[in-house]
Amino acid sequence: MYDVIIIGAGVSGAAVARELARYKAQICVIERCEDVCCGTSKANSGIVHAGYDAKPGSLMAKLNVKGNAMMGGLSEELDFEFKRIGSLVVCTKNDDRSKLEELYKRGLQNGVPGLKIVERDELLKLEPNISDDAECALYAPSAGIVCPFGLNIALAENAATNGVEFKFDTEVKNIEYTEGCFELETNKGTFTAKAVVNAAGVYADVFHNMLCDKKINITPRKGEYFLLDKGVGGHVSHTIFQLPDALGKGVLVSPTTHGNLLVGPTALDIEDKEGTNTTLSGLDKITATAGKAVKNVPLRSVITSFSGLRAHEDGHEFIIGQAEGGPKGFFDCAGIESPGLSSAPAIGEMLGGLIAKEYGFEKNPRFNGKRKGIVRPKDLTTDEYNKLIKEQPAYGTIICRCESITEGEIIDSIRRPLGAKSLDGVKRRTRAGMGRCQAGFCSPKTMEIIARELNIPLESVTKAGGNSIIIKGVNKDRIDCEVAGR
């Protein structure tokens, strides 16, 4: 019997788990995939929004502004990459300036600091590559960029080191409630809890509607992106938005925390909750509209494309708290679309605190809110790096040439709390495979390291868990011959 079971190990579920780890309680996170950050949280813009877009007084507005303010301190506590670079919403000569002014007024109501409208002369000083049609822009200096994987993994690791259990490859099939107890039927048996947090992303409506009289509907909203090479990462220095429409903030152009350039997303409502394939029409739309706010976007430097799904709730509002029309102890964390990533620290604090108060959890005096990430040789001085190599020689072997990722970093990513078990797991933690060649060079060696560290056959190593097997069978005689010839 757990005190609380959280369904979903995305950024919202991990944030709630970390907050509940501050208390003396038995907490468990159940995730159907093989790792944290496998759904909506892994495929988004990585933007920490300032908070001017959401309707004043809404949960989206309040939690966005608060989450933004928390992000800097949290990145220092948990050692993930975050940069406060500011954002610009561009108004061109073909746009309605009054819509930009409305965003400005809304931002002031929401408490966004430092907002101002800049005219073309000042805009050109901020962004020399701004569109020739740009006349003015809403400047929000508090906006930033974050590594979405880094944030999610850091929250989950810190929760785990403070006692939260994580169950992976465990899919919830059904939930029943009887006499103050929830029974969650999964592919790995039945789990029981006094309370349940529904943080299941695009599937949150499925679990809500199992138990609640008042139904909700989550529509997967697909967003497709281009990721460009680091060689053009400096094309802009702020996150550049177009004026938003009914489906979102439009195609943006932004640096990433790792030095790439990101262009996208599209916005298309679909029915398939697993529909993360990219499409020719979607990528063509990005190509056609990317230049509206930024000129000469270097799309010839695209190294990959990807898509993600936003969990769009019909009322376009976060649903957080005791589920309406549901049994006591069933808490929703649903409809967490943009600005969900920005709001995650505040969502965790709000919902975790609410549950702790409801059940009278005592504070955990042993809670440690600090976490140290993987050592990055690029952040070390030459002397520090040489010392590290002497102590741990694996840090002297480069595995991923594009990103200069060492064997030591990959080993650490596997051995740490909630360590990587697949190529994608290593990639999200270290960036091995995220460079220009997109894992074309480093995959075989990374697979060997995973197999060795996890003590599994090479043919059992997967790209992303489940049935994503990369090789079928190994010619052992050939491998022995190669080893003997070294």
Side-chain angles (χ1 to χ4, degrees):
M1 168 70 77
Y2 291 98
D3 291 304
V4 184
I5 287 178
I6 299 167
I7 304 174
V11 70
S12 298
V16 175
R18 179 181 184 255
E19 188 64 27
L20 286 172
R22 297 177 185 274
Y23 300 91
K24 292 181 179 180
Q26 296 295 314
I27 312 299
C28 180
V29 179
I30 292 180
E31 168 59 49
R32 72 188 181 106
C33 297
E34 58 102 25
D35 199 358
V36 303
C37 198
C38 286
T40 296
S41 300
K42 76 171 181 179
N44 57 64
S45 308
I47 307 301
V48 178
H49 295 282
Y52 49 74
D53 189 53
K55 181 180 177 182
S58 66
L59 268 181
M60 278 187 172
K62 294 175 182 177
L63 296 177
N64 183 169
V65 174
K66 186 171 184 180
N68 176 296
M70 296 171 68
M71 198 68 72
L74 189 64
S75 70
E76 293 179 4
E77 283 184 343
L78 298 182
D79 195 21
F80 60 84
E81 294 185 87
F82 165 69
K83 298 178 182 178
R84 202 174 291 282
I85 63 171
S87 68
L88 293 159
V89 182
V90 175
C91 180
T92 70
K93 61 185 180 182
N94 298 316
D95 290 325
D96 184 352
R97 181 174 175 133
S98 66
K99 293 182 179 178
L100 190 77
E101 292 170 343
E102 178 59 34
L103 277 183
Y104 171 70
K105 293 175 184 176
R106 186 180 294 179
L108 294 181
Q109 286 181 271
N110 290 345
V112 178
L115 274 184
K116 66 176 181 177
I117 293 179
V118 296
E119 303 301 328
R120 180 166 177 81
D121 288 346
E122 187 175 357
L123 182 53
L124 278 171
K125 292 178 183 177
L126 291 170
E127 288 293 346
N129 284 319
I130 209 71
S131 166
D132 292 335
D133 291 334
E135 293 191 336
C136 58
L138 178 62
Y139 176 46
S142 65
I145 50 177
V146 68
C147 173
F149 322 122
L151 170 59
N152 197 158
I153 291 167
L155 289 165
E157 279 189 6
N158 191 235
T161 56
N162 282 287
V164 175
E165 295 182 38
F166 283 76
K167 306 289 185 183
F168 295 110
D169 296 312
T170 305
E171 183 175 1
V172 178
K173 303 288 190 179
N174 188 44
I175 309 176
E176 294 185 358
Y177 175 80
T178 54
E179 299 179 0
C181 176
F182 292 90
E183 291 190 351
L184 286 74
E185 298 175 16
T186 78
N187 61 324
K188 292 190 175 180
T190 300
F191 296 81
T192 58
K194 299 173 186 175
V196 171
V197 174
N198 173 25
V202 294
Y203 288 95
D205 56 346
V206 174
F207 297 119
H208 173 98
N209 294 341
M210 283 181 182
L211 295 171
C212 302
D213 295 332
K214 184 176 181 181
K215 308 302 181 184
I216 64 173
N217 182 58
I218 301 288
T219 300
R221 179 165 289 174
K222 178 185 284 190
E224 300 181 51
Y225 296 85
F226 283 131
L227 185 70
L228 281 60
D229 186 69
K230 287 183 176 181
V232 297
H235 193 71
V236 297
S237 56
H238 302 76
T239 299
I240 313 296
F241 294 104
Q242 301 169 12
L243 270 176
D245 58 24
L247 290 178
K249 303 173 181 68
V251 171
L252 61 84
V253 181
S254 178
T256 71
T257 56
H258 303 110
N260 298 88
L261 193 70
L262 187 69
V263 185
T266 55
L268 178 68
D269 289 347
I270 63 175
E271 293 183 3
D272 183 5
K273 292 180 185 287
E274 300 293 326
T276 57
N277 58 304
T278 54
T279 63
L280 179 61
S281 60
L283 298 179
D284 281 348
K285 183 175 181 180
I286 297 175
T287 301
T289 59
K292 180 180 178 182
V294 178
K295 65 182 180 182
N296 303 323
V297 178
L299 293 178
R300 290 178 65 88
S301 294
V302 169
I303 60 173
T304 192
S305 59
F306 65 94
S307 74
L309 302 178
R310 287 161 270 178
H312 175 68
E313 190 270 327
D314 287 352
H316 189 51
E317 171 65 309
F318 295 159
I319 302 175
I320 300 173
Q322 172 69 49
E324 189 172 350
K328 180 182 177 182
F330 185 77
F331 297 89
D332 273 325
C333 188
I336 311 299
E337 59 180 317
S338 180
L341 187 72
S342 315
S343 306
I347 290 173
E349 183 180 81
M350 173 188 170
L351 188 51
L354 189 156
I355 294 169
K357 183 178 180 180
E358 178 71 27
Y359 287 89
F361 295 155
E362 296 180 24
K363 286 281 188 178
N364 176 10
R366 296 184 178 181
F367 175 78
N368 180 4
K370 298 283 188 178
R371 172 256 189 191
K372 187 64 180 172
I374 294 171
V375 174
R376 311 287 183 185
K378 66 182 179 65
D379 296 331
L380 304 177
T381 65
T382 301
D383 288 343
E384 289 172 335
Y385 187 26
N386 287 335
K387 181 181 178 183
L388 178 63
I389 292 173
K390 286 181 179 179
E391 295 172 350
Q392 301 182 57
Y395 280 94
T397 303
I398 298 293
I399 301 298
C400 173
R401 293 179 178 180
C402 298
E403 295 290 321
S404 297
I405 305 302
T406 66
E407 183 176 6
E409 293 166 87
I410 295 172
I411 291 172
D412 189 1
S413 76
I414 297 168
R415 293 181 180 178
R416 26 190 330 107
L418 307 181
K421 302 183 287 291
S422 65
L423 278 180
D424 279 4
V426 169
K427 180 171 70 173
R428 285 191 289 268
R429 288 164 174 82
T430 68
R431 291 189 58 77
M434 281 193 180
R436 190 182 186 102
C437 85
Q438 288 292 289
F441 174 80
C442 63
S443 287
K445 187 60 180 176
T446 302
M447 290 174 63
E448 290 179 12
I449 298 170
I450 293 171
R452 182 190 72 212
E453 290 295 313
L454 298 181
N455 194 27
I456 59 175
L458 192 62
E459 57 266 39
S460 296
V461 177
T462 65
K463 182 182 184 297
N467 294 320
S468 59
I469 298 295
I470 299 167
I471 59 175
K472 292 191 71 174
V474 175
N475 187 332
K476 188 175 184 302
D477 291 338
R478 180 177 177 182
I479 291 174
D480 287 344
C481 182
E482 289 177 350
V483 171
R486 285 178 186 171

